Each structure stands twice: as structure tokens, then as C-alpha cells.
Amino acid sequence: MLKVPEHQVAGRQAIDGKLGPLIDNSGHFYKPLQDDDERGTRELTFYHSFSSNTRIPHHIRRFFPVFHGTQLLKASDRSGLRPHLVLQDITSDHLNPSILDIKIGSRTWYLEASNDYIQNCFHRDKTTTTVSLGFRICGLQIYNESGFWKPGRKLVRNFTADDVRSVLRKFVSSNVGPEPDCCFAGSVYGGCDGILERLLELKTWFEDQTMYHFRSCSVLLLFDKESFLRGKTPFAEFKLIDFAHVVDGNGVIDHNFLGGLCSFIKFVSQVLADLKGSTMEDKI
């Protein structure tokens, strides 16, 4: 039985008769291939290339969704059978996940795209934090005991740098009020297997890899805050998603993605630094 993803925070959604992704109960995410432009073909080409590329280190592959091929399925918009990418459902092992979708890079367009697409991206990049910070938040949901805080897309698009800092703190807090406590920051962002350490591992790869340029690609952060609240071992992770605009690197480092990733790492690091400073002040 296919259904609409419950925890999708950005992108096209399969609601109100629209075309969008579906999931099943076996941990699979079905993403419809676009037939109105080259996006579907480009993303499928990337997955085939990445899956068979022996130069991709094993420890880097874990940061990408598992690719299971394609499958013909009835589209959510009732347009008939349509090929879908069959991917790992990243949220399937999480009960009530808090999720952040971060689009990385100060430029989301690429030269091979149509002029209309470039102009649309150029406008959105300038009017969000994409240009100023090198990344932007595309969507989020943060779980607390009363449910999810999930701001609308218009509000998210208007986020400032200060809003981004606030969201990164709320993401690892037991509250989503004006003064987030960041009580989960050390476990989620910090530690030898925390999100920051994994981001740094990914950064090291991007400092050398010249095979792909990742335009308009996102980093998805998620963890079960409910596990913390119930005293259970947390399960925090991140994946790279959305590869419809990946282009050949042609032997050149992807400075656009790398620069945005470095900027995002600084923001995450600052949350931990502020937490450490606050802890030191409490001891004085």
C-alpha cells in the first residue's frame, strides 16, 4: 500500500491530486521522474553513475540514500503509470523525527539549465539566505511533546541569518520558544558520531572530489527527539538528497557546494561553542 510521506518538509507533495513522492511500509521512497524537462533523466543518470562509481569511498556512500532502481507505478496525480525512482525512505526508522532540509550552495542554478530556470533560481537565491550565507533552510519540522512545529513555506523563505541560528538551536532543544535550551545539542551535533563530525567528514571528501557538481542539493538532518524525552538512545543522522541538478565536475572542485557546506558547519559549530561557553559560565 503506497501512501503520502508523513514527514516530508520540502519539495513537491502528493496532495490535492498533485504529482509527488510516495512511500510504502517497507522503507522505500518512490520519487516520480519528471517528464516536462531533463530533471528526472539527470537525477536517474546521477544515481546510476554514483552507484557504479568505484571511486566513491564506502564511508561517503552512507551519506546518500540507497538506490533500488526504478519502478512503474500509478502516479499520485492520477495521470497513469509513471516511472519512479525507488530510494531509501530516510524517515522510516524514526517515530516522530525532527527534520531540517538545508539547500547547500550560494548558487542553485547551473549553466546548462534554461534561461527561465536560471532567472527563477537567481531571484530566489538573492531573496533568501542562499547568497548571503551559502545555504538556506527549505523546510523543517521540530517535534515536542505537544506535536510538531512546522512553519509554512512562506515563513521559511523569509528566514534571516538570525532566524537560521534560532532554528538550529530549536532543532536540538526541548522547547521551541524564544529561548531554546539546546539540551540535546551535545548529543546530536557533538560527539565522535554526531552530525558535526559527519559534516566534517563530508567536507574532507568535497575538498578533493571533482567528479560531480551538486547544484540545488540538500542536506537532510533528522533525529528522534522523542527518544531523548523518553530516555532512550538517540538516533541522529543526515543524508544528501535531491540530485536532479547534478552536473559533471569535469575535474574541477565543487567550490559552490564546498563553500556552502563550510558555512553551514560554522553555524552548527557555533551552537556547540555557545553551549560550551554557557556551561563554563554556570561553573563560575
Side-chain angles (χ1 to χ4, degrees):
M1 177 68 71
L2 299 180
K3 54 188 177 182
V4 177
E6 182 181 0
H7 300 299
Q8 184 179 349
V9 298
R12 301 183 182 186
Q13 297 179 308
I15 56 176
D16 300 327
K18 297 178 182 178
L19 183 65
L22 301 167
I23 60 172
D24 61 18
N25 293 321
S26 302
H28 295 131
F29 182 91
Y30 301 90
K31 184 175 182 179
L33 291 176
Q34 304 292 328
D35 60 3
D36 57 344
D37 54 27
E38 298 180 354
R39 284 177 292 180
T41 301
R42 192 181 296 275
E43 186 158 24
L44 179 58
T45 298
F46 167 77
Y47 272 113
H48 279 306
S49 171
F50 186 84
S51 298
S52 62
N53 193 331
T54 57
R55 292 180 293 168
I56 307 296
H58 178 72
H59 69 281
I60 294 299
R61 290 188 182 277
R62 67 189 177 121
F63 299 139
F64 291 76
V66 177
F67 174 56
H68 298 286
T70 60
Q71 186 174 339
L72 275 177
L73 298 170
K74 290 183 179 180
S76 61
D77 63 354
R78 302 181 180 86
S79 60
L81 291 176
R82 178 186 292 268
H84 288 65
L85 296 171
V86 185
L87 306 170
Q88 171 191 7
D89 178 9
I90 303 167
T91 68
S92 63
D93 292 329
H94 298 265
L95 182 58
N96 288 307
S98 292
I99 301 174
L100 284 179
D101 185 318
I102 313 292
K103 193 173 292 293
I104 302 293
S106 59
R107 193 184 86 183
T108 60
W109 52 274
Y110 54 101
L111 292 175
E112 297 87 343
S114 67
N115 185 63
D116 287 345
Y117 178 83
I118 291 175
Q119 291 302 317
N120 181 57
C121 289
F122 189 69
H123 171 74
R124 183 162 297 179
D125 291 350
K126 285 200 309 179
T127 55
T128 62
T129 62
T130 292
V131 171
S132 59
L133 300 184
F135 67 90
R136 72 172 181 257
I137 297 175
C138 286
L140 72 146
Q141 66 176 33
I142 298 178
Y143 179 78
N144 56 63
E145 292 178 315
S146 61
F148 285 104
W149 177 58
K150 191 172 184 178
R153 293 187 180 186
K154 185 176 181 180
L155 177 61
V156 172
R157 287 175 184 172
N158 290 325
F159 276 172
T160 63
D162 286 339
D163 292 326
V164 171
R165 294 186 183 95
S166 177
V167 166
L168 288 175
R169 285 164 170 76
K170 290 177 179 179
F171 185 66
V172 290
S173 296
S174 62
N175 61 317
V176 293
E179 296 184 5
D181 54 31
C182 296
C183 63
F184 309 130
S187 300
V188 176
Y189 291 152
C192 61
D193 199 33
I195 285 176
L196 179 58
E197 190 65 27
R198 300 183 203 183
L199 289 171
L200 290 171
E201 193 174 350
L202 185 66
K203 169 181 169 288
T204 298
W205 182 64
F206 268 95
E207 289 173 338
D208 292 323
Q209 82 86 17
T210 59
M211 296 172 284
Y212 308 106
H213 283 187
F214 292 82
R215 295 289 186 267
S216 200
C217 173
S218 288
V219 167
L220 198 72
L221 309 183
L222 64 161
F223 84 103
D224 285 326
K225 185 182 294 186
E226 189 169 14
S227 296
F228 282 99
L229 297 175
R230 294 183 177 182
K232 298 180 180 179
T233 302
F235 179 34
E237 64 176 322
F238 87 87
K239 298 283 186 183
L240 272 69
I241 60 171
D242 296 337
F243 308 112
H245 306 292
V246 175
V247 296
D248 195 317
N250 294 316
V252 178
I253 290 174
D254 187 356
H255 291 287
N256 178 67
F257 190 95
L258 178 59
L261 183 62
C262 288
S263 177
F264 181 61
I265 287 172
K266 288 180 181 179
F267 272 72
V268 174
S269 299
Q270 190 61 53
V271 176
L272 290 172
D274 292 345
L275 178 65
K276 184 178 180 180
S278 176
T279 302
M280 290 298 293
E281 288 177 4
D282 292 341
K283 292 180 179 181
I284 297 175

